[in-house]
Amino acid sequence: MFEKIFKLSQNGTTVKTEIMAGLTTFMTMAYIIALNPNLLTNFGQEGTALWNGVFLATCIASSIGMFCMAFLANKPFCLAPGMGLNSFFAVVVGNIVGITGMSYLASFQAALIVILIEGLLFVILSIFNVREKIVESIPLGIRLGISPAIGLMLMNIGLGSNVGIYSESGGPFYVLRDFFGALTPSVAQNAMGSAYGQMILTVVTMFIGLFIIVALAKRGINGAVLFGMLGASIIYWAGSFIFLNTNPFASLADASFLPPFQDMAQTTLFKLNFQGFLDIGWFTVITLTVTFCIIDMFDTIGTLVGTASRANMVDDQGNMPKMKQALLSDAIATVTGACTGTSTVTTFVESAAGVEAGGRTGLTALTCGLLFLACIFLAPIAAIIPPAATSAALIYVGVLMLQGLKNINFGDMDQMVPVCLMLIAMPVSGSIGHGIGLGIIAYTMIKVFTGKFKDVSILTYIISALFLVKFFLVV
């Protein structure tokens, strides 16, 4: 059955490999299940009911997006509410509260309509191949540079924001900035206070996990990334018991495995506040919609192109087969998210971990989607995966994606400058879309100032202009 649906042999993979790849991707992105409702409800301060509603929406919208990716596009890419976009959404909700005087919940329900409009626009643009044409308009050199730029971004996440540790001294404390960035161990210890021991365990876990993955991969063992994460998890759990005198499974003792569907029905499920939406003002609505569209579109395009390039899923021109269906899956997921109660759902860059584990078809996305759906009942179990273990995988995959630099012609300034800007912009800004935008603007300007303006397509000029508006004029 799987062979017929997903064409496994044609794609050089097996059921076992695809399932392990799906599990690998799930482990690297499972953090979003709890983090997304935390960000959208100010870490639960807006009420348990809303938190539960966003939690269920996160699981449901993500899984539906992955099912679409599996059966429409047959690609191994996984989806969830996008990081950065969810934080921006929370800021937007807070601004709506200030503009209209409505409650946070009413403002949240009004802001969901912006996400719904964005999703519906993307469905239309995907059906009529407009988004696919936008992908094709991105110059080949920039498309080749997306994969290594994402690689640096993954490494930055793995060594930075993926693991944030708190103590009585404050926080979050990060591995690269606060541990390796400290002048001496004593400086780091004084800054982190009681969290220093946890930081030491995190660093040890992260790098042992990375070395396990590398050792297994060099021996050609399938599932090296997954086994490395499992090994790192065991090390972290054991270290917590032995050295920190804490029980890493303590949260399971009083965890609830019953889905809070009633809370979702009361707060987020089709709870679209149209009256509150009208009170926001048309200029603000248009500005927000354009902003969400630009960021989401190029985040998705960048992830798809970059990850597909790493997996050799693109042709000589850097185009991925069934790009239209992949983009449509992303759009359907965003519409689903708006209707169930979460911010924009997009293709996750952590999909690269599953691709590196051998995932080549929609069976990888289907596996991850089923695991997200299961988290409606089993979220407490997913929550015990230590971030240090997933960081090991992100660093490893990031290193591998840097291999794409060999395809860049660094003797050609038209390629070199945009790619170098993307290499620094993506990890620093944390946005794939912003990195691509900066690269496209640079490419266009170089062509114009060197008298080769005819080499730039009309659509590329339009995209450059949109990003200039986004960067300098959108308020």
Side-chain angles (χ1 to χ4, degrees):
M1 178 181 69
F2 290 132
E3 174 62 40
K4 182 178 180 181
I5 296 174
F6 299 110
K7 299 179 176 59
L8 301 179
S9 299
Q10 181 180 326
N11 287 281
T13 186
T14 64
V15 172
K16 179 182 176 181
T17 299
E18 293 292 301
I19 292 176
M20 292 186 70
L23 181 57
T24 299
T25 302
F26 170 76
M27 290 184 68
T28 60
M29 60 187 287
Y31 67 87
I32 197 66
I33 294 170
L35 183 56
N36 191 54
N38 279 343
L39 291 173
L40 296 188
T41 64
N42 196 16
F43 287 81
Q45 292 187 30
E46 303 304 329
T48 302
L50 180 58
W51 195 100
N52 288 338
V54 177
F55 158 71
L56 289 177
T58 301
C59 295
I60 293 170
S62 300
S63 60
I64 289 177
M66 285 183 263
F67 296 157
C68 290
M69 186 68 73
F71 295 111
L72 294 180
N74 193 25
K75 298 299 180 185
F77 307 121
C78 300
L79 302 92
M83 287 298 296
L85 286 165
N86 50 14
S87 298
F88 179 59
F89 181 86
V91 171
V92 167
V93 174
N95 289 340
I96 293 174
V97 172
I99 293 171
T100 65
M102 295 187 296
S103 67
Y104 188 93
L105 177 59
S107 300
F108 184 95
Q109 294 167 343
L112 286 176
I113 300 176
V114 176
I115 306 302
L116 179 62
I117 294 172
E118 175 203 347
L120 292 174
L121 282 173
F122 279 171
V123 169
I124 295 170
L125 294 177
S126 299
I127 291 174
F128 289 100
N129 298 322
V130 176
R131 294 179 83 190
E132 195 171 7
K133 293 296 182 183
I134 291 174
V135 176
E136 294 171 359
S137 73
I138 298 175
L140 179 59
I142 293 179
R143 272 185 273 172
L144 293 174
I146 290 174
S147 180
I150 290 176
L152 282 180
M153 182 176 173
L154 286 175
M155 293 179 66
N156 188 52
I157 293 171
L159 289 164
S161 60
N162 192 51
V163 184
I165 298 174
Y166 295 83
S167 74
E168 76 285 348
S169 301
F173 300 107
Y174 297 122
V175 171
L176 194 59
R177 185 191 70 187
D178 300 298
F179 182 78
F180 289 108
L183 293 175
T184 64
S186 60
V187 171
Q189 186 173 8
N190 291 334
M192 298 179 199
S194 61
Y196 186 68
Q198 186 181 358
M199 177 60 76
I200 293 293
L201 178 59
T202 295
V203 173
V204 171
T205 299
M206 182 185 299
F207 282 97
I208 290 180
L210 173 62
F211 299 147
I212 291 173
I213 294 172
V214 172
L216 294 177
K218 285 178 67 68
R219 288 171 171 78
I221 296 176
N222 292 330
V225 177
L226 177 60
F227 292 140
M229 282 195 291
L230 291 174
S233 297
I234 292 171
I235 291 170
Y236 189 87
W237 293 331
S240 295
F241 271 120
I242 298 170
F243 300 109
L244 303 182
N245 298 316
T246 60
N247 180 4
F249 310 117
S251 60
L252 297 178
D254 55 356
S256 173
F257 293 89
L258 296 176
F261 287 119
Q262 184 175 356
D263 286 343
M264 182 186 190
Q266 292 175 350
T267 57
T268 63
L269 184 62
F270 294 107
K271 297 293 185 180
L272 301 172
N273 182 2
F274 288 96
Q275 182 57 55
F277 173 74
L278 295 175
D279 292 339
I280 297 173
W282 287 110
F283 178 78
T284 302
V285 166
I286 293 172
T287 301
L288 290 175
T289 303
V290 170
T291 302
F292 274 108
C293 283
I294 292 176
I295 298 174
D296 182 25
M297 180 177 293
F298 286 93
D299 275 3
T300 299
I301 288 172
T303 301
L304 290 174
V305 172
T307 308
S309 298
R310 171 62 196 164
N312 296 317
M313 295 180 183
V314 296
D315 58 23
D316 294 338
Q317 299 301 314
N319 297 317
M320 184 185 79
K322 291 195 173 182
M323 175 66 81
K324 173 181 178 179
Q325 291 86 339
L327 292 170
L328 181 59
S329 301
D330 181 272
I332 292 172
T334 294
V335 173
T336 304
C339 294
T340 54
T342 185
S343 55
T344 305
V345 179
T346 187
T347 306
F348 248 51
V349 69
E350 283 84 352
S351 299
V355 169
E356 199 55 47
R360 293 295 181 272
T361 74
L363 184 53
T364 294
L366 176 62
T367 301
C368 190
L370 290 172
L371 289 169
F372 261 78
L373 204 57
C375 279
I376 291 175
F377 305 93
L378 304 175
I381 295 178
I384 65 173
I385 301 171
T390 60
S391 284
L394 294 174
I395 295 168
Y396 173 73
V397 174
V399 169
L400 293 182
M401 294 186 77
L402 284 173
Q403 293 176 358
L405 288 172
K406 65 185 179 184
N407 300 319
I408 308 298
N409 180 8
F410 282 100
D412 181 3
M413 295 290 284
D414 293 356
Q415 283 194 28
M416 185 181 74
V417 173
V419 169
C420 287
L421 288 173
M422 287 196 302
L423 288 172
I424 190 66
M426 282 193 197
V428 172
S429 71
S431 171
I432 296 172
H434 285 179
I436 294 174
L438 194 57
I440 291 176
I441 291 172
Y443 172 85
T444 302
M445 292 296 103
I446 290 171
K447 288 292 187 181
V448 169
F449 281 99
T450 55
K452 299 179 181 178
F453 54 88
K454 291 183 179 180
D455 293 348
V456 183
S457 69
I458 296 297
L459 193 51
T460 302
Y461 277 119
I462 294 173
I463 293 171
S464 298
L466 286 173
F467 269 110
L468 286 171
V469 170
K470 162 69 179 66
F471 288 144
F472 295 105
L473 297 179
V474 173
V475 294

